[in-house]
Amino acid sequence: SVLRNLYINPNHHGHGDKNSNDRDGNGSNPYQSHTLTSRLLQLFAPHYHLRNLALHPHLPSSLSFPDKLTRFLGAVLPLEYQHSGRDNGYFKSIADGMVTLTCPLVGVGHWQEARDFLELSYPSMPRAVPSLDRESSSLPHAKYVGLKGGLRLDGKRKIQRGRRRGWGRERISYGDHSMQFLDLFLPSNDNHSNDENTASDVHSQSSGSYNKTSVRGTIFFVHGGAWGSGQPWMYRLVAPVFLKLNFAVVVVGYRTYPEAPTIDDQCEDVRSAWDKCEHVLNELVVPAKSRDSSVGDDGTGWVGNVICGHSSGAHVALLMLVDMIGEQMENTDHATMPMTHHTGQNYPWVPDYFVGLSGPYDISYHFDFEGGRGVEQISPMKPICGHSRENFDRASPVKRLLSLFGKQREGMTTTSSTIQQLTPPILLVHGIEDSTVPFTATSDAGRILRSCGLKQCDEIYLEETNHQDVIMHFMLGGPAKDSVLNWLLQCSQEEKTAQIQSRL
């Protein structure tokens, strides 16, 4: 492509002005030479070259092996091979295979996290106790099965709980495709310490509310993978940090390219998973009681539901949220999504917060960046987002929100009250050393979101942090996890205000 030729060979000018940047008139160009040298050093040289040469801040030298491999393949493979591997699913197989092979290495030196992963993957089977008679039960169409930590309603769902931590897990399908499922993880249920006490209280429980787990909210996590790879099990270690704080966690599986040929297909999958969670959570959990005082660190008190995504998952998750806002705007003139917990038996399944981790939110801009990296042809982003600048803008959540904002200004007397009411507080997190998605993707998105009059849109930039580091901080501990948790707890303590922050 033209972008790749200009990047690999900076002395080639498409406009014909061969010496436009030649200050000395001798055919040399220090900036172009610096750009070419930077690319070669990033691909082949070790990190010590940084002592004498400052690289472009959008292309740091901290490149992971998969990033180096995709750049190498993009440079040496003919276009027909790149397109064939992308469109036939070979890209997905290679990417997922590399993660599967390297996954055991994560457990080296992180034995506690490895045990948590195994418990979430292989929870203990239920310990059977005599089931209750339908006639003697207050729930006429259910039977009860004993689990570690108490009884669980078995008429519709059976939650398996690990013996060490008591975390529960269930895999739930929301579509016909094998990739259309979600993994639901529940915190330990300490309300019922033994089977005997629980069984004696069965008859006194009201219908539909027996033995539900009290949670402070739900983390609805959408995994990344460049729109063409990734599986929920790879992100299972995101759950423990929230389970320890009494959150329910949902890790969403969805069709990736080429199974999902368009970005709208992926967005529909994630939306279907969101709708499915409403029914499932109403059966299994109840919201923790709101506290008049600030939420403490003791794992009690309502916080809210969080839509969270990493990389391309952050893009798809924000796209879903914008579509939800658009639907609300079309239904009523001043419809609002409740931002705080309401009392009642039903679980309040509304988005209270959005957290984007290292996400690309402007597809047209990110295509230019991928062209500079030399991966725009092998990446699934171009075909799934529509091959054209017009379709790229339509697939960009910030551009969609701008479009909604324009419609709002044309059809309403107030300028931005409706979008302000419908949009939950937003946090965008990015690593400065990200060579896969530049940190400017977050800064530009934050600027556009704030221009739409959002009440709260915060940005956090992490030094010496690359693309994968952000999500690994949630799995193994790190500043990204700490920053997000502090932000959530702070938002739950304070009244929602219009304060705009950007912390560098």
Side-chain angles (χ1 to χ4, degrees):
S1 67
V2 176
L3 288 172
R4 185 189 301 178
N5 290 333
L6 287 175
Y7 191 81
I8 297 177
N9 184 13
N11 291 316
H12 174 73
H13 298 269
H15 49 64
D17 188 6
K18 185 174 182 180
N19 298 317
S20 60
N21 293 322
D22 187 2
R23 297 180 180 178
D24 301 329
N26 56 5
S28 64
N29 189 323
Y31 176 76
Q32 293 173 350
S33 175
H34 167 84
T35 305
L36 178 59
T37 305
S38 299
R39 175 165 173 77
L40 293 176
L41 287 174
Q42 288 176 49
L43 291 174
F44 303 109
H47 296 304
Y48 64 79
H49 70 277
L50 287 174
R51 300 175 182 174
N52 301 319
L53 180 62
L55 297 180
H56 194 283
H58 298 178
L59 292 173
S61 61
S62 55
L63 302 181
S64 62
F65 175 75
D67 198 6
K68 292 181 179 180
L69 178 60
T70 53
R71 294 187 187 200
F72 177 77
L73 294 177
V76 301
L77 289 180
L79 284 181
E80 56 269 23
Y81 290 167
Q82 295 186 47
H83 293 169
S84 176
R86 178 194 68 192
D87 300 335
N88 293 331
Y90 299 139
F91 170 84
K92 171 184 173 63
S93 300
I94 293 175
D96 289 348
M98 292 178 59
V99 174
T100 303
L101 291 175
T102 58
C103 182
L105 299 178
V106 178
V108 178
H110 300 91
W111 309 115
Q112 184 66 51
E113 289 76 9
R115 294 182 66 187
D116 290 343
F117 181 86
L118 291 176
E119 178 167 348
L120 292 174
S121 302
Y122 308 102
S124 60
M125 296 301 293
R127 294 183 286 113
V129 297
S131 60
L132 296 178
D133 231 280
R134 284 190 177 181
E135 290 76 5
S136 61
S137 172
S138 59
L139 298 178
H141 300 294
K143 77 174 183 179
Y144 296 87
V145 176
L147 298 179
K148 177 178 174 59
L151 299 180
R152 177 63 64 197
L153 179 64
D154 192 43
K156 292 184 178 180
R157 305 196 178 278
K158 183 190 300 180
I159 297 295
Q160 297 183 4
R161 291 190 177 271
R163 294 185 178 276
R164 186 168 63 97
R165 294 191 180 273
W167 293 334
R169 175 202 168 196
E170 183 180 5
R171 173 159 294 184
I172 303 165
S173 298
Y174 62 86
D176 297 331
H177 197 277
S178 60
M179 302 174 70
Q180 293 175 320
F181 67 90
L182 57 90
D183 283 338
L184 171 64
F185 302 97
L186 297 180
S188 60
N189 189 351
D190 297 328
N191 296 328
H192 307 285
S193 58
N194 57 74
D195 294 346
E196 291 78 5
N197 293 338
T198 306
S200 63
D201 294 335
V202 165
H203 301 284
S204 63
Q205 303 296 328
S206 60
S207 177
S209 62
Y210 182 78
N211 200 36
K212 292 184 178 181
T213 303
S214 176
V215 297
R216 305 175 71 185
T218 300
I219 308 299
F220 185 85
F221 182 80
V222 184
H223 69 78
W227 298 274
S229 63
Q231 299 179 32
W233 70 265
M234 300 174 182
Y235 298 84
R236 196 165 288 164
L237 277 180
V238 173
V241 61
F242 295 105
L243 293 175
K244 294 174 183 178
L245 294 175
N246 287 346
F247 283 87
V249 179
V250 175
V251 181
V252 182
Y254 57 95
R255 291 173 297 165
T256 55
Y257 187 83
E259 282 81 5
T262 69
I263 194 65
D264 289 334
D265 293 324
Q266 288 192 349
C267 193
E268 289 175 4
D269 279 5
V270 177
R271 179 60 186 275
S272 297
W274 173 269
D275 294 339
K276 183 71 173 181
C277 285
E278 180 176 9
H279 305 287
V280 174
L281 292 173
N282 271 297
E283 296 178 10
L284 299 177
V285 300
V286 292
K289 294 181 179 179
S290 300
R291 301 178 64 183
D292 295 335
S293 59
S294 62
V295 177
D297 295 331
D298 56 351
T300 62
W302 175 258
V303 175
N305 302 312
V306 184
I307 298 178
C308 181
H310 174 252
S311 190
S312 61
H315 164 258
V316 176
L318 185 56
L319 203 60
M320 179 193 72
L321 178 62
V322 173
D323 288 346
M324 294 169 67
I325 294 172
E327 292 175 4
Q328 292 291 323
M329 292 179 64
E330 292 177 359
N331 290 337
T332 59
D333 292 338
H334 294 279
T336 59
M337 289 183 182
M339 294 300 177
T340 58
H341 165 56
H342 61 82
T343 59
Q345 185 176 354
N346 293 333
Y347 186 80
W349 189 231
V350 293
D352 296 303
Y353 309 99
F354 176 87
V355 176
L357 308 174
S358 305
Y361 309 106
D362 187 331
I363 298 301
S364 185
Y365 171 83
H366 192 62
F367 175 75
D368 293 342
F369 183 78
E370 285 196 342
R373 295 171 57 209
V375 299
E376 80 284 2
Q377 298 296 336
I378 199 172
S379 170
M381 188 194 72
K382 184 174 75 169
I384 200 171
C385 291
H387 293 278
S388 68
R389 294 288 183 180
E390 294 77 11
N391 289 332
F392 288 170
D393 288 344
R394 195 182 67 84
S396 302
V398 292
K399 297 293 182 64
R400 284 197 188 184
L401 191 64
L402 272 179
S403 178
L404 291 177
F405 183 64
K407 294 179 180 179
Q408 175 180 302
R409 295 188 61 181
E410 294 176 0
M412 299 182 181
T413 56
T414 58
T415 57
S416 59
S417 60
T418 301
I419 287 183
Q420 286 180 343
Q421 295 171 356
L422 295 176
T423 307
I426 292 177
L427 174 65
L428 304 179
V429 182
H430 220 115
I432 295 293
E433 299 295 326
D434 195 329
S435 61
T436 304
V437 181
F439 71 88
T440 50
T442 282
S443 60
D444 290 344
R447 173 180 53 81
I448 295 175
L449 292 173
R450 287 191 291 271
S451 70
C452 296
L454 301 189
K455 289 183 177 181
Q456 187 171 1
C457 180
D458 300 339
E459 304 163 32
I460 295 179
Y461 299 95
L462 304 173
E463 297 180 355
E464 300 181 354
T465 303
N466 62 34
H467 190 71
Q468 296 300 327
D469 286 343
V470 173
I471 193 63
M472 294 303 294
H473 288 173
F474 283 84
M475 298 182 182
L476 305 178
K481 178 203 71 174
D482 298 335
S483 299
V484 170
L485 290 179
N486 291 336
W487 182 84
L488 288 174
L489 294 178
Q490 182 179 0
C491 288
S492 66
Q493 293 172 11
E494 299 176 355
E495 185 181 18
K496 305 298 185 296
T497 65
Q499 181 182 7
I500 305 299
Q501 299 180 7
S502 179
R503 192 179 78 204
L504 300 177

